[in-house]
């Protein structure tokens, strides 16, 4: 039976899981959670995931949340080879570093500005939030030093995790294509991947949700 993914398509972390699944040709039984109406706080969802984050994966009797953990699980279980998550210790360690960067830095910056807009009725993005995002662009530019992909010479789940969030941030705090040429080219490279196409629907959704509230 296909695994079930409880998801909110507009979420960048969810889109990272969708890109991964597409890349390994895995179909989900998709269950959309209405985040804006707080379905993730309902008892039936809390029973699955007491941390009430979206997404949550249910694979037979196994329940897992956190996009990074889900991506690692999916490619380890369902991918035909280790290309997206190489078994080589050092390559894998770099992928983990990039995933932690997404989780601990980029996603926090995304949440800071999105929550300010959604819940504090801010109509502009604070300069300090913009500065933090620009600093992340500068750091990711260094990740791409001498290589085409975030964790080496071929695409991995690190790229999927980062591009889902970067594509969202870039819609509001543009990447300076002169200053961050490698990052801008990497975004284009990701956009040309067949699996990336599943990022687009949710990206438009989140753009519309936030743009409607911003005066930019
Ligand atoms: N580290 C988690 C973060 C997921 C996350 O925070 N998702 C947001 C949706 S955009 C969420 O579920 N927020 C609701 C909450 O934390 O209560 C992941 O990668 O899955």
């Amino acid at each position: 039976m296909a695994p079930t993914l409880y998801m909110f398509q507009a979420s960048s972390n969810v889109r990272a899981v969708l890109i991964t699944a597409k890349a390994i040709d895995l179909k989900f039984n998709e269950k959309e959670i209405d985040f804006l109406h707080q379905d993730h706080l309902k008892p039936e969802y809390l029973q699955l995931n007491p941390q009430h984050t979206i997404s949550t994966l249910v694979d037979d009797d196994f329940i897992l949340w956190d996009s990074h953990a889900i991506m690692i699980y999916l490619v380890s279980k369902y991918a035909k080879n280790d290309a997206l998550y190489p078994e080589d210790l050092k390559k894998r360690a770099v992928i983990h570093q990039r995933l932690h960067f997404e989780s601990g830095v980029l996603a926090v910056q995304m949440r800071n500005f999105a929550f300010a807009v959604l819940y504090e009725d801010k109509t502009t993005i604070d300069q300090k939030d913009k500065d933090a995002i620009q600093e992340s662009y500068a750091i990711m530019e260094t990740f791409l030093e001498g290589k085409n992909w975030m964790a080496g010479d071929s695409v991995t789940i690190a790229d999927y995790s980062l591009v889902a969030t970067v594509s969202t941030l870039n819609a509001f705090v543009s990447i300076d294509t002169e200053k961050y040429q490698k990052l801008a080219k990497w975004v284009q490279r990701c956009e040309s991947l067949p699996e990336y196409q599943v990022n687009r629907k949710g990206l438009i959704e989140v753009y519309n949700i936030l743009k409607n509230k911003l005066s930019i």
Side-chain angles (χ1 to χ4, degrees):
M1 204 170 52
T4 298
L5 189 73
Y6 292 83
M7 54 185 261
F8 173 60
Q9 187 120 211
S11 156
S12 46
N13 290 137
V14 169
R15 285 183 272 121
V17 173
L18 294 177
I19 298 170
T20 304
K22 185 75 182 170
I24 59 175
D25 204 17
L26 175 71
K27 306 259 181 315
F28 290 124
N29 170 22
E30 295 183 358
K31 295 217 166 142
E32 188 76 16
I33 295 289
D34 190 344
F35 173 69
L36 298 179
H37 290 96
Q38 306 212 313
D39 276 4
H40 60 299
L41 300 179
K42 288 187 173 161
E44 52 271 32
Y45 192 71
L46 291 176
Q47 245 190 350
L48 285 175
N49 174 355
Q51 198 185 334
H52 49 77
T53 52
I54 309 168
S55 53
T56 299
L57 179 81
V58 179
D59 191 15
D60 289 325
D61 58 354
F62 180 62
I63 302 170
L64 185 68
W65 61 89
D66 188 280
S67 62
H68 314 86
I70 293 172
M71 285 189 286
I72 290 173
Y73 173 77
L74 292 178
V75 291
S76 303
K77 180 167 177 188
Y78 293 105
K80 292 186 179 71
N81 56 51
D82 75 343
L84 293 175
Y85 186 54
E87 282 181 19
D88 177 272
L89 181 64
K90 288 182 182 164
K91 287 184 180 167
R92 193 165 273 199
V94 175
I95 291 172
H96 290 169
Q97 185 276 318
R98 305 312 195 225
L99 294 179
H100 283 287
F101 177 79
E102 196 291 326
S103 185
V105 179
L106 221 50
V108 175
Q109 291 166 354
M110 177 70 227
R111 193 173 313 129
N112 282 350
F113 111 73
F115 277 28
V117 174
L118 289 175
Y119 304 123
E120 293 164 24
D121 290 331
K122 290 251 170 87
T123 56
T124 55
I125 303 171
D126 283 354
Q127 190 56 45
K128 70 169 173 31
D129 289 338
K130 287 186 187 170
D131 291 346
I133 292 165
Q134 290 293 348
E135 196 186 333
S136 287
Y137 291 161
I139 291 167
M140 286 184 284
E141 184 79 1
T142 71
F143 291 170
L144 291 162
E145 197 63 59
K147 47 183 121 58
N148 280 339
W149 301 99
M150 283 292 175
D153 294 328
S154 60
V155 67
T156 68
I157 55 172
D159 297 285
Y160 299 157
S161 181
L162 289 167
V163 79
T165 310
V166 169
S167 59
T168 317
L169 293 172
N170 188 29
F172 298 96
V173 181
S174 298
I175 296 169
D176 182 331
T177 56
E178 282 304 308
K179 208 165 164 189
Y180 303 125
Q181 293 187 10
K182 296 183 188 68
L183 186 64
K185 284 194 184 125
W186 167 81
V187 171
Q188 287 178 350
R189 214 171 284 127
C190 290
E191 285 171 349
S192 70
L193 294 169
E195 62 268 36
Y196 176 88
Q197 307 319 313
V198 296
N199 188 51
R200 295 188 188 276
K201 183 167 178 275
L203 182 57
I204 292 169
E205 282 178 18
V206 69
Y207 180 76
N208 288 334
I209 293 168
L210 294 173
K211 179 81 180 169
N212 278 340
K213 294 182 178 269
L214 285 167
S215 60
I216 53 167

